[in-house]
Amino acid sequence: MSRPTRRQVLYGSAAALTGAALTAPIALAGTAAARPAEGHGHPAEDGHPAPDGHSGHDMPEPFDEMYQGRHIEGWPADEEGMRKGGAQKAKSRKAHAGHGSGAPHAAHPADHGGMHDGMDFVVRIDNDDLHVMRNADGTWISLVNHYQTFSTPQALARAAVRELQGAELVPVITG
Amino acid sequence: MAVRKNQADLTATEKRNFVDAVLELKRSGRYDEFISTHNAFIIGDTDEGERTGHRSPSFLPWHRRFLLQFEQALQSVTPSVMLPYWDWTVDRSPRSSLWADDFLGGDGRTGDGRVTSGPFAFGSGKWPMNIRVDGRTFLRRSLGTGVRDLPTRAEVDRVLAMSVYDAAPWNSSSDGFRNNIEGWRGPNLHNRVHVWVGGQMTTGASPNDPVFWLHHCFIDKLWADWRRMHPTSPYVPNGDTPDVVDLHDTMKPWNDITPADLLDHTKFYTYA
């Protein structure tokens, strides 16, 4: 098994980031924007849903901050697509153009369309992508803290920083 | 008949054979294929999309097959080896024999969480982290820090008492036995144990820690216990559910086995 190189694989086209989940006829919950970010990123009660799940359907707001010496940022994945304009879109497209260009696309063994299926939000730590996923109740998990739910992507990103203890994220070979 | 034992009841020889077989799978590269598969499903299984290994009714049969495959790989090294299970309702302490140096090794050290003793310690040179989510190349643990306490027997019994296997929408927001044992609802059993162990066990690449197999073996045993307690409660759903593995649907990545084929564990092994 060769060692995965940084920036290897993982990313399909930016179009894959539009995320079918966003157009699914499902009342997605958890409007994090209305809540203060958790300073300590405590998961909602050991993996329990946030108490206000099912209260709304808005995506959390983008964030961009230094946290414990790491640059964490995040924005809704649909900004990667054709729905919204603005600087974020240009920035994220540019960033993605550098992702594993020419590298073989890591096929999910279950033939998922792309690694970003189900990814509603882009989260980066020092410009490396952290895979995140939104739960049906509006809470969030990341690949670093996958068995623990957080009420916002920002809380999740901060928790990942604490978990990483300075280590860099590496794209994971999945296939 | 092949018997899976409680890890606390293993003999010194059984522990050594298990550890040696795991290390041999690692050395040959076969171990990391299991980590890759698990991580791929962790990423791919979503509440509103296709879901097979997690957050879905097939969480239990999928892991049953996954463990069987791993157990068969171990047996290709040493035919007598069986997966042991870790009953975390009883062996709740970092001082449990599970974490001794003749078995899985101990807790991570303060500071960076590195496991420094036992066969899987970085210093042994036999346990590299090839499939990982960050740059750290050593096995890490932080027993009891992500969450203070492992689930109790009373919490397990509360979940075992649920008579319905699973329920729409067949994901992390479902009621029923499967989602309560998986931990997205209720007292949080399976998920919480991953968090309690800490280190790689909290990530999508959780099989990097060999305790993954002992944890899931106990989850598998609890499913067997539940079926005995609720003999008339069927696996559901059982027909044409989008994105979800129905009773007679084949499961990825194998595509040759269905939940129906896996309901009776006694075809493969029994639990002591």
Side-chain angles (χ1 to χ4, degrees):
Chain A
M1 169 66 68
S2 62
R3 213 175 140 257
T5 54
R6 282 170 52 70
R7 298 261 179 254
Q8 190 171 1
V9 186
L10 261 198
Y11 291 97
S13 65
L17 288 171
T18 46
L22 291 174
T23 55
I26 289 172
L28 288 164
T31 154
R35 275 198 298 276
E38 295 140 288
H40 302 291
H42 284 306
E45 289 280 322
D46 294 344
H48 283 282
D52 60 346
H54 300 295
S55 64
H57 56 271
D58 293 339
M59 286 298 283
E61 289 296 313
F63 63 93
D64 187 331
E65 66 169 354
M66 293 299 293
Y67 179 75
Q68 295 191 357
R70 313 278 305 255
H71 180 207
I72 61 173
E73 55 185 335
W75 60 88
D78 65 358
E79 294 187 7
E80 308 263 330
M82 301 307 290
R83 299 164 179 232
K84 296 183 185 176
Q88 284 281 29
K89 178 170 137 187
K91 171 176 129 189
S92 57
R93 280 218 173 132
K94 181 164 171 264
H96 270 278
H99 271 289
S101 308
H105 182 57
H108 185 282
D111 290 323
H112 278 257
M115 296 308 295
H116 281 266
D117 275 10
M119 250 186 95
D120 302 312
F121 215 83
V122 176
V123 174
R124 296 226 169 109
I125 299 177
D126 290 338
N127 216 32
D128 289 322
D129 286 87
L130 171 66
H131 186 275
V132 307
M133 189 186 293
R134 181 163 53 173
N135 297 314
D137 67 3
T139 59
W140 297 81
I141 55 176
S142 80
L143 199 58
V144 168
N145 297 97
H146 202 85
Y147 302 91
Q148 230 174 332
T149 59
F150 298 88
S151 58
T152 68
Q154 186 170 17
L156 165 154
R158 289 175 171 182
V161 165
R162 293 194 301 273
E163 175 64 29
L164 287 167
Q165 296 180 302
E168 287 194 318
L169 289 167
V170 297
V172 178
I173 303 248
T174 56
Chain B
M1 183 61 187
V3 179
R4 290 182 177 177
K5 294 166 66 174
N6 187 319
Q7 59 81 26
D9 298 330
L10 295 183
T11 65
T13 301
E14 286 170 328
K15 288 182 189 181
R16 191 169 57 245
N17 286 346
F18 175 78
V19 167
D20 288 350
V22 169
L23 291 174
E24 173 55 23
L25 291 183
K26 183 65 157 182
R27 192 199 60 77
S28 70
R30 292 169 71 189
Y31 191 95
D32 288 345
E33 294 171 18
F34 287 94
I35 306 174
S36 294
T37 298
H38 188 267
N39 192 57
F41 277 84
I42 276 278
I43 290 173
D45 294 323
T46 61
D47 275 338
E48 278 87 33
E50 190 177 341
R51 48 200 184 274
T52 303
H54 306 87
R55 58 181 64 233
S56 59
S58 46
F59 167 71
L60 292 167
W62 190 91
H63 282 85
R64 177 165 284 179
R65 180 71 195 278
F66 192 56
L67 263 62
L68 269 169
Q69 211 176 22
F70 183 70
E71 188 170 57
Q72 287 158 1
L74 294 173
Q75 289 164 352
S76 75
V77 178
T78 305
S80 64
V81 169
M82 295 292 297
L83 281 182
Y85 63 89
W86 169 32
D87 181 348
W88 24 254
T89 70
V90 173
D91 293 306
R92 308 173 56 75
S93 160
R95 293 175 300 283
S96 158
S97 61
L98 172 70
W99 308 111
D101 289 354
D102 67 341
F103 200 20
L104 300 191
D107 197 358
R109 69 186 178 190
T110 307
D112 64 2
R114 180 185 298 196
V115 172
T116 57
S117 64
F120 306 101
F122 183 73
S124 75
K126 295 179 177 175
W127 201 249
M129 295 285 117
N130 303 314
I131 311 296
R132 58 184 192 272
V133 302
D134 64 64
R136 290 169 290 183
T137 55
F138 46 90
L139 179 64
R140 290 176 294 110
R141 290 179 188 138
S142 192
L143 306 181
T145 61
V147 57
R148 186 195 306 260
D149 293 310
L150 288 162
T152 63
R153 187 68 224 183
E155 288 170 321
V156 167
D157 288 341
R158 211 165 91 215
V159 172
L160 286 175
M162 297 176 177
S163 59
V164 175
Y165 177 76
D166 206 343
W170 320 109
N171 64 17
S172 74
S173 64
S174 293
D175 291 324
F177 170 70
R178 188 276 312 168
N179 200 34
N180 274 269
I181 193 173
E182 189 169 358
W184 304 112
R185 282 289 177 277
N188 185 1
L189 304 183
H190 153 268
N191 285 350
R192 198 202 318 180
V193 176
H194 279 271
V195 175
W196 187 89
V197 174
Q200 280 84 3
M201 271 287 277
T202 70
T203 74
S206 47
N208 266 302
D209 191 329
V211 79
F212 173 92
W213 307 104
L214 285 75
H215 171 36
H216 269 278
C217 195
F218 187 55
I219 295 293
D220 186 80
K221 179 183 185 294
L222 291 177
W223 183 27
D225 294 343
W226 179 86
R227 289 194 73 245
R228 212 171 27 250
M229 291 168 68
H230 304 277
T232 60
S233 294
Y235 175 96
V236 284
N238 63 3
D240 297 331
T241 313
D243 293 325
V244 170
V245 179
D246 290 293
L247 178 63
H248 296 291
D249 290 345
T250 56
M251 285 190 296
K252 294 170 179 176
W254 309 289
N255 301 317
D256 63 354
I257 196 160
T258 68
D261 299 327
L262 290 157
L263 297 180
D264 179 12
H265 70 286
T266 64
K267 289 191 290 191
F268 311 104
Y269 50 83
T270 58
Y271 280 110

